Amino acid sequence: MANLKEIRNRISSVSSTMQITSAMKMVSAAKLKKAQDAITAMRPYADKLTELLQSLSATLDADSGSKFSTQREVKKVLIVAITSNRGLAGAFNSNILKEVNRLVSKTYANLDVSYVTIGKKANDAFKKTNKIIANESAIFDDLTFDNVAVIAQMLMDKFVAGEFDKIEIVYNKFKNAATQEVMVEQFLPIVPAESNANVNLDYIFEPSKIEIVEQLIPKSLKTQLYKGIRDSFASEHGARMTAMHKATDNAKELRDQLKLTYNKARQAAITNEILEIVGGAEALNN
């Protein structure tokens, strides 16, 4: 019967785990709806702002380029790694860490690479390198544009000061609850428009085109970073909801298997007891 007791304990443990994963799934589903609505509403604005900025920049002379578009020989690279503060989200965080390690080992091999970590998982992964210049994991406690703008301004200041020649953002782009795509976006210097052949800017600019661009660039960069963090935030809840859904299904399957094993073992034990009783009765009769 000791074996039966062990199986009962395992069934109880698996059932408790299933309740926890089911509750986490429901919590993530509720948070996902809000996060998904936020990033869906923001994307058209962010994309249009980037398109407008590139269109204006494409018509400027090379000598009037912004300080944020200065192309320098790449020697020092800053990678902004966006993960989550918590785990239990499947491959959500590991995909980001793998991509960052790939960039460091292949794309930026033999270069001086530093990190800005947004999310405790990224900070835990890279803190041993002593290359983290800032840990902004607390941003998820109050994720607003103003708070993200402070981080973006810090990145812009470091690029303008020449501390880094290139800044990249690595994050998960939200597609749906089950699918996230790892994105690597160049934050600075600004990526020039590929072609201005189809750009139609028959407008009158006031005060001037250059001044408008100079005002749009910081806002566009802040919006780009905010969109990346918002994308990652929605992706996190989608990944966690999917992971907890699978964990709940697996726990249910394991519980059913344990119940079947328990019933078989219990039936075998009862059968043995009956056989012992019958055998004893026959021995007395003889």
Side-chain angles (χ1 to χ4, degrees), residues 124-250:
D124 292 343
F126 301 122
K127 63 183 179 182
K128 293 182 180 180
T129 64
N130 295 321
K131 294 283 189 175
I132 298 177
I133 65 170
N135 175 23
E136 303 292 346
S137 301
I139 191 67
F140 292 112
D141 297 334
D142 187 15
L143 185 52
T144 63
F145 179 81
D146 291 337
N147 290 336
V148 174
V150 175
I151 302 175
Q153 188 62 53
M154 178 264 291
L155 297 176
M156 289 186 280
D157 292 342
K158 289 186 177 297
F159 177 79
V160 172
E163 295 183 32
F164 299 99
D165 305 311
K166 190 175 184 180
I167 300 178
E168 299 250 55
I169 305 174
V170 184
Y171 67 96
N172 279 297
K173 181 179 180 181
F174 178 80
K175 287 193 170 183
N176 53 56
T179 307
Q180 301 84 37
E181 180 183 0
V182 177
M183 300 294 294
V184 179
E185 289 185 358
Q186 182 170 314
F187 187 70
L188 286 169
I190 294 175
V191 179
E194 294 182 359
S195 175
N196 61 349
N198 298 323
V199 176
N200 182 14
L201 293 176
D202 188 16
Y203 307 123
I204 297 175
F205 296 95
E206 292 185 0
S208 71
K209 189 186 301 183
I210 295 177
E211 291 182 58
I212 291 174
V213 170
E214 289 293 337
Q215 292 179 12
L216 276 178
I217 286 176
K219 187 172 184 178
S220 176
L221 291 172
K222 292 173 183 177
T223 302
Q224 179 184 355
L225 181 61
Y226 183 57
K227 181 176 73 70
I229 296 177
R230 270 290 177 193
D231 253 319
S232 180
F233 189 63
S235 297
E236 174 193 350
H237 291 303
R240 182 170 292 112
M241 186 186 75
T242 302
M244 291 302 100
H245 176 73
K246 291 180 179 178
T248 302
D249 289 346
N250 291 338

Side-chain angles (χ1 to χ4, degrees), residues 274-286:
I274 293 174
L275 291 175
E276 290 175 359
I277 293 172
V278 172
E282 291 180 353
L284 290 176
N285 291 334
N286 294 333

Side-chain angles (χ1 to χ4, degrees), residues 1 10 25 41 44 52 58 75 85 112 125 127 157 164 194 204 208:
M1 295 300 292
R10 289 191 64 191
K25 171 190 170 184
L52 177 60
K75 295 181 179 179
N85 286 336
D112 186 2
K127 63 183 179 182
D157 292 342
F164 299 99
E194 294 182 359
I204 297 175
S208 71

Side-chain angles (χ1 to χ4, degrees), residues 36-157:
Q36 182 177 355
D37 290 344
I39 188 60
T40 302
M42 181 185 176
R43 273 180 184 163
Y45 170 78
D47 293 342
K48 194 64 180 178
L49 183 61
T50 301
E51 178 185 342
L52 177 60
L53 179 63
Q54 289 185 342
S55 297
L56 288 172
S57 300
T59 63
L60 293 176
D61 297 332
D63 296 336
S64 58
S66 168
K67 56 187 177 182
F68 298 114
S69 58
T70 303
Q71 301 287 336
R72 298 190 288 261
E73 182 183 356
V74 179
K75 295 181 179 179
K76 294 183 177 181
V77 178
L78 179 62
I79 296 178
V80 182
I82 304 176
T83 61
S84 65
N85 286 336
R86 297 185 297 127
L88 297 177
F92 173 81
N93 291 310
S94 61
N95 287 339
I96 294 296
L97 301 180
K98 287 178 182 177
E99 182 61 26
V100 172
N101 289 329
R102 187 195 66 80
L103 287 173
V104 173
S105 62
K106 294 184 178 181
T107 306
Y108 301 126
N110 302 321
L111 297 181
D112 186 2
V113 179
S114 300
Y115 307 96
V116 168
T117 55
I118 300 178
K120 292 180 180 178
K121 294 301 179 180
N123 186 67
D124 292 343
F126 301 122
K127 63 183 179 182
K128 293 182 180 180
T129 64
N130 295 321
K131 294 283 189 175
I132 298 177
I133 65 170
N135 175 23
E136 303 292 346
S137 301
I139 191 67
F140 292 112
D141 297 334
D142 187 15
L143 185 52
T144 63
F145 179 81
D146 291 337
N147 290 336
V148 174
V150 175
I151 302 175
Q153 188 62 53
M154 178 264 291
L155 297 176
M156 289 186 280
D157 292 342

